Amino acid sequence: MKRIVFLDYVRVFACFLVMLVHACENYYGAPGSTDMAGPMSFLANETDRLWVSVYDGFSRMSVPLFMIVSAFLLVPLKEGLSAMEFYKRRASRILPAFLLFMILYSTLPVLWGQIDSDTSLTDLSRLVLNFPTLAGHLWFIYPLISLYLFIPVISPWLTKASAKEERFFIYLFLISTLMPYLNRFFGEVWGQCFWNEFHMLWYFSGFLGYLVLAHYIRVHLDWSRSKRLFAGAALMTSGAIWTILSFYIQAVPGELIPTPTVELGWSFCTINCVMLTAGTFLLFSCIKRGTTPRIIADISNLSYGMYLMHIFWLGLWVGVFKTDLDLPTAIAIPVIAICTFISCYATAKALAMIPACRWMAGLGSPSLQGAFKTPEGALPG
């Protein structure tokens, strides 16, 4: 299978943005929180407010970009591929390394005192239910698995649907992305109440909308390169400004604020985040290269393993640049993200060079190693 070059660039970019997001969270987590923001947020000063808003707000496209990449490659199912075969391939691709890192995040932090033995045992006992205490970033795997489970269900419709029918779905999805704002300012809408969370557009909302959007772009969007550049730049710029300001306006330095409140506009399925993501994806789709540069392809292939391990490295670099050196926020956040990114790549690359350890670098089970020369071998989602 021939690589789709621009998707490799998207993966590398989105992988770095994930680390930039989590570097930022060390600057607005409430006292006593871990490397990621907890239920309450606290900004120490106006400088932190500004740079967290800019860096983190712009980076909120990271998760949706991964979802679009997966959908772009996997939807609809290839002819002749059964649902069970698809599930087996996806499970072999993501579960071995995922389960390993669930265990590592539940145990290794005991060695340096980040969690105690009771927390470790509790995390281990709950692994079948949810991610460990210090691995909040692994939330992403669960909706990703959900999308994988749903792909064989929606594939027959996408195979037959017209562009107009897919646009109708996307329109309803876009309306659903307004609901976080409607709920904030108008309360419960469209059937929501304390005994019913399944509102009118429930089945058109969430990451499924990105899946259909990705298929529409790949199959039905026939815009010229110049039109993609213009529309992509307009959507990305307006979406970024909205997303950045949504945090900046609500964040008040020196005050404890509930994280869901201050992050209202940072939800991945809000209209502004869709604009930011779709615009950026359109811009990347304008890349016209015959082959992917070796370093980009290499990072792309290792991006899943880098994502899984990055919180381990992130804490180290936060200690160096925020605590020990006390760099200015504007410099510290990107430097933490860059050092984390490089460290993760070096670690994943070293593991990938050992045949028995390739799966630990996120390259799937040994039986499927030959499949990871294709675009599907990179970060799933």
Side-chain angles (χ1 to χ4, degrees):
M1 179 178 179
K2 184 179 179 181
R3 297 191 78 97
I4 302 176
V5 174
F6 83 88
L7 293 183
D8 284 319
Y9 284 95
V10 174
R11 284 197 202 93
V12 173
F13 182 63
C15 186
F16 174 74
L17 291 185
V18 168
M19 300 178 193
L20 191 61
V21 165
H22 292 148
C24 290
E25 291 191 10
N26 285 272
Y27 286 82
Y28 71 95
S33 62
T34 63
D35 293 326
M36 287 182 282
M40 301 297 292
S41 294
F42 180 84
L43 286 147
N45 50 60
E46 183 62 34
T47 300
D48 287 359
R49 176 193 189 192
L50 171 63
W51 291 108
V52 166
S53 299
V54 172
Y55 288 135
D56 204 335
F58 179 77
S59 301
R60 287 288 156 166
M61 69 179 95
S62 54
V63 166
L65 281 176
F66 286 136
M67 295 295 190
I68 287 183
V69 168
S70 277
F72 200 92
L73 290 167
L74 300 175
V75 180
L77 287 188
K78 294 179 176 61
E79 188 175 352
L81 182 66
S82 70
M84 291 300 108
E85 290 172 331
F86 175 78
Y87 293 150
K88 182 178 179 181
R89 292 184 182 184
R90 292 296 96 198
S92 298
R93 173 69 185 93
I94 66 171
L95 292 184
F98 173 56
L99 295 175
L100 169 68
F101 277 93
M102 292 267 278
I103 295 171
L104 293 179
Y105 281 111
S106 300
T107 55
L108 288 186
V110 175
L111 300 179
W112 50 83
Q114 197 170 9
I115 59 174
D116 57 29
S117 57
D118 288 340
T119 302
S120 176
L121 290 173
T122 300
D123 284 346
L124 288 170
S125 69
R126 288 177 48 83
L127 286 187
V128 296
L129 299 175
N130 216 337
F131 51 81
T133 303
L134 296 181
H137 67 297
L138 296 183
W139 73 269
F140 163 73
I141 301 298
Y142 299 91
L144 178 66
I145 291 172
S146 178
L147 277 187
Y148 284 166
L149 291 172
F150 201 72
I151 282 175
V153 178
I154 200 172
S155 286
W157 177 73
L158 287 173
T159 301
K160 298 178 181 179
S162 65
K164 183 177 181 180
E165 290 169 335
E166 286 192 40
R167 283 198 300 271
F168 179 69
F169 186 106
I170 293 169
Y171 292 151
L172 295 178
F173 164 61
L174 293 177
I175 295 172
S176 79
T177 64
L178 296 171
M179 291 196 67
Y181 297 105
L182 294 176
N183 291 154
R184 169 69 67 85
F185 298 111
F186 301 102
E188 297 167 332
V189 297
W190 301 336
Q192 291 174 314
C193 51
F194 74 86
W195 69 83
N196 176 52
E197 61 188 299
F198 303 102
H199 54 79
M200 179 177 68
L201 295 179
W202 178 273
Y203 300 103
F204 296 88
S205 63
F207 292 113
L208 181 61
Y210 284 110
L211 185 150
V212 178
L213 179 62
H215 182 268
Y216 182 84
I217 291 173
R218 183 172 69 85
V219 176
H220 298 297
L221 195 68
D222 57 356
W223 289 353
S224 65
R225 186 170 181 269
S226 60
K227 190 171 183 179
R228 287 182 182 232
L229 281 171
F230 178 79
L235 283 170
M236 185 192 75
T237 302
S238 54
I241 292 173
W242 184 342
T243 309
I244 290 167
L245 287 178
S246 71
F247 185 93
Y248 184 82
I249 291 171
Q250 298 181 98
V252 181
E255 291 187 13
L256 275 173
I257 305 174
T259 300
T261 297
V262 75
E263 287 189 351
L264 172 68
W266 284 2
S267 298
F268 299 115
C269 295
T270 50
I271 184 65
N272 49 286
C273 198
V274 175
M275 294 164 60
L276 176 60
T277 303
T280 302
F281 191 80
L282 287 176
L283 289 177
F284 273 101
S285 73
C286 297
I287 294 175
K288 302 296 182 183
R289 293 183 64 111
T291 58
T292 305
R294 184 173 179 178
I295 184 64
I296 297 297
D298 205 30
I299 297 173
S300 177
N301 286 335
L302 295 170
S303 55
Y304 182 42
M306 293 170 63
Y307 153 77
L308 290 172
M309 71 178 68
H310 80 273
I311 295 299
F312 284 132
W313 282 109
L314 183 77
L316 169 66
W317 295 118
V318 168
V320 172
F321 296 113
K322 182 185 179 187
T323 306
D324 297 338
L325 299 180
D326 193 23
L327 293 183
T329 304
I331 299 173
I333 289 175
V335 169
I336 290 168
I338 291 168
C339 289
T340 301
F341 188 83
I342 293 172
S343 301
C344 290
Y345 171 65
T347 306
K349 182 67 174 177
L351 290 171
M353 295 175 67
I354 306 171
C357 297
R358 285 175 57 83
W359 66 276
M360 297 174 63
L363 293 178
S365 66
S367 62
L368 290 180
Q369 283 179 5
F372 302 124
K373 296 178 182 178
T374 72
E376 294 181 17
L379 178 55

